[in-house]
Amino acid sequence: MGEVDEAFIQAVEHRPKLTITEAEGIPLINLSISNSNSIETLVEEIGDACKNWGFFQVINHGVPFETREKLELASRKFFAQATEEKLKVRRDEVNPLGYYDTELTKNVRDWKEVFDLAVKNPTVIPTSPEAGDNGLQELVNRWPEYPSEFRVAYEEYAKEMEKLAYKLLELISLSLGLPANRLSRFFNNQTSFSRLNHYPTCPIPNLALGVGRHKDGGALIILAQDDVGGLQVKRKTDGEWVQVRPTPHAYIVNVGDIIQVWSNERYESVEHRVMVNSEKERFSMRLSFNPNHDVMVEPLEELITEQNPAKYRAYNWGKFFANRRRSNFKKLGVENIQISHFKITEE
């Protein structure tokens, strides 16, 4: 990552503490159905986790370990290459898919390098965030020459992760008292993305972050992390940053801003960040499960009542996404677009 420069340094109030509080309370949910674990119990656990934490871990999720392991090994091989090799598949403002190592979060550079991929190849998104621009563009995955097994490993993994995402979406829908397929209809032409993350060892873990504090703008995020750990969640009860202890073969799931809006704030997207380590590098793989670009995101009508009116105005997901991704490349000097900009204020 070169010499440490000021671009990586977090403001004093956002610097990580090196004394870690582990999040013992983050729910660990068994997705298998059995005599002792009914669908009703599972739905209740999912609902409680979404409401109280915004985060949970799942086991017995159906994703074959071998499929996950193949992509993790291919990812490690890719990131181990010389920088000039990785830059051959560098992403840019036109096509935000591929390798990147200078991403910003909240206008501060992250201590990481990433490889971004679409789940649907190609994926269609708006060309710009401007309201009057109806142009669309196709995003096509870039494939590195090395390792040769990268593409096959990713495509197999993406299929399995898509199945898991739909399963979780159905459980979340049921937990809101809605039909199982109520949310999945928004994903026929989904704009979901995967990200392979590499966090190199960092000489200033008390000053920098792998990813700065943020909330996820999409619907559902599913993360595989290695045994190094580093993900921290802002606990809702007291605002304390707590670390999610790695559970072997589990996935970490968090609800994004879209589900916060759909649920009319019954469920909340929670702030999180990633610590870096001075002794160990860290790898993770993330799926951001997102709806079609033309979906208008707004509170679901079934969840609006006279006592609980809609808390958000409708917004277009594709335009929101196009606006968000600009700040990955440019230091805008202002806060990026948030769902709070669509919040309906009480008179």
Side-chain angles (χ1 to χ4, degrees):
M1 306 271 299
E3 292 183 10
V4 176
D5 66 41
E6 292 185 2
F8 291 105
I9 307 299
Q10 294 285 328
V12 174
E13 64 272 23
H14 299 304
R15 291 175 188 172
K17 297 176 184 176
L18 296 187
T19 53
I20 292 171
T21 303
E22 286 199 332
E24 301 283 356
I26 285 187
L28 181 65
I29 299 176
N30 183 351
L31 292 185
S32 66
I33 304 297
S34 63
N35 291 334
S36 60
N37 192 36
S38 67
I39 182 68
E40 291 79 14
T41 300
L42 183 53
V43 167
E44 184 178 355
E45 288 180 349
I46 293 282
D48 287 345
C50 290
K51 182 179 180 181
N52 298 324
W53 278 94
F55 270 80
F56 54 94
Q57 297 191 73
V58 294
I59 56 173
N60 293 326
H61 40 67
V63 179
F65 175 68
E66 298 76 16
T67 306
R68 171 171 166 173
E69 189 177 40
K70 283 179 189 174
L71 182 58
E72 183 176 329
L73 290 172
S75 171
R76 287 174 181 264
K77 287 181 182 179
F78 172 80
F79 286 122
Q81 295 181 101
T83 301
E84 55 265 29
E85 289 300 314
K86 292 181 283 191
L87 289 175
K88 291 178 180 178
V89 284
R90 188 179 190 271
R91 75 184 202 189
D92 52 43
E93 287 190 65
V94 176
N95 184 0
L97 300 179
Y99 173 77
Y100 202 63
D101 64 350
T102 55
E103 189 165 84
L104 303 169
T105 301
K106 306 285 188 187
N107 291 315
V108 180
R109 187 172 167 188
D110 295 329
W111 192 276
K112 70 182 180 194
E113 53 182 349
V114 304
F115 198 105
D116 287 332
L117 300 127
V119 172
K120 297 290 186 186
N121 189 33
T123 287
V124 176
I125 65 164
T127 52
S128 87
E130 306 306 325
D133 185 347
N134 297 319
L136 298 173
Q137 67 177 122
E138 285 191 341
L139 303 184
V140 179
N141 283 333
R142 303 173 194 257
W143 303 110
E145 291 183 10
Y146 177 85
S148 59
E149 67 271 20
F150 186 100
R151 179 171 184 170
V152 171
Y154 172 71
E155 290 179 341
E156 288 178 0
Y157 183 76
K159 285 179 185 176
E160 295 296 334
M161 292 303 291
E162 194 176 11
K163 290 180 199 171
L164 175 57
Y166 275 116
K167 182 189 298 185
L168 291 167
L169 203 65
E170 289 184 357
L171 291 168
I172 289 171
S173 188
L174 290 169
S175 76
L176 290 167
L178 303 170
N181 66 351
R182 177 65 174 93
L183 302 179
S184 56
R185 69 182 70 171
F186 297 118
F187 292 79
N188 296 331
N189 295 301
Q190 59 180 276
T191 57
S192 301
F193 296 91
S194 299
R195 167 167 285 187
L196 309 177
N197 295 298
H198 175 222
Y199 302 95
T201 56
C202 177
I204 52 165
N206 59 322
L207 300 177
L209 286 166
V211 183
R213 74 200 191 284
H214 68 285
K215 297 183 178 185
D216 292 310
L220 196 63
I221 295 81
I222 309 174
L223 178 77
Q225 66 169 344
D226 65 12
D227 60 359
V228 175
L231 174 67
Q232 291 192 326
V233 177
K234 197 169 190 179
R235 190 161 52 196
K236 289 177 69 173
T237 53
D238 58 7
E240 181 75 19
W241 286 105
V242 291
Q243 187 143 315
V244 182
R245 179 189 297 171
T247 299
H249 311 324
Y251 284 96
I252 299 166
V253 182
N254 65 286
V255 299
D257 288 344
I258 288 176
I259 285 181
Q260 178 170 323
V261 174
W262 279 340
S263 71
N264 206 27
E265 290 190 353
R266 188 181 300 186
Y267 299 156
E268 184 183 351
S269 174
V270 175
E271 236 181 1
H272 50 287
R273 66 185 186 183
V274 176
M275 295 270 286
V276 282
N277 194 301
S278 61
E279 299 175 358
K280 297 178 180 178
E281 60 183 343
R282 175 179 181 260
F283 295 86
S284 67
M285 303 187 297
R286 187 188 81 187
L287 169 70
S288 297
F289 199 54
N290 302 327
N292 311 348
H293 73 83
D294 58 356
V295 164
M296 296 300 294
V297 180
E298 59 189 321
L300 300 172
E301 57 184 359
E302 301 96 318
L303 303 180
I304 298 171
T305 64
E306 190 173 334
Q307 294 74 31
N308 188 34
K311 294 179 169 66
Y312 294 90
R313 293 179 285 111
Y315 64 91
N316 175 267
W317 162 245
K319 292 295 186 183
F320 185 94
F321 171 77
N323 199 323
R324 267 286 180 98
R325 72 186 180 94
R326 288 191 309 175
S327 71
N328 291 339
F329 299 90
K330 296 177 180 177
K331 191 166 184 174
L332 300 178
V334 295
E335 183 186 27
N336 205 349
I337 191 168
Q338 307 287 338
I339 56 171
S340 58
H341 294 126
F342 302 95
K343 182 94 173 177
I344 297 174
T345 55
E346 296 181 7
E347 296 293 335

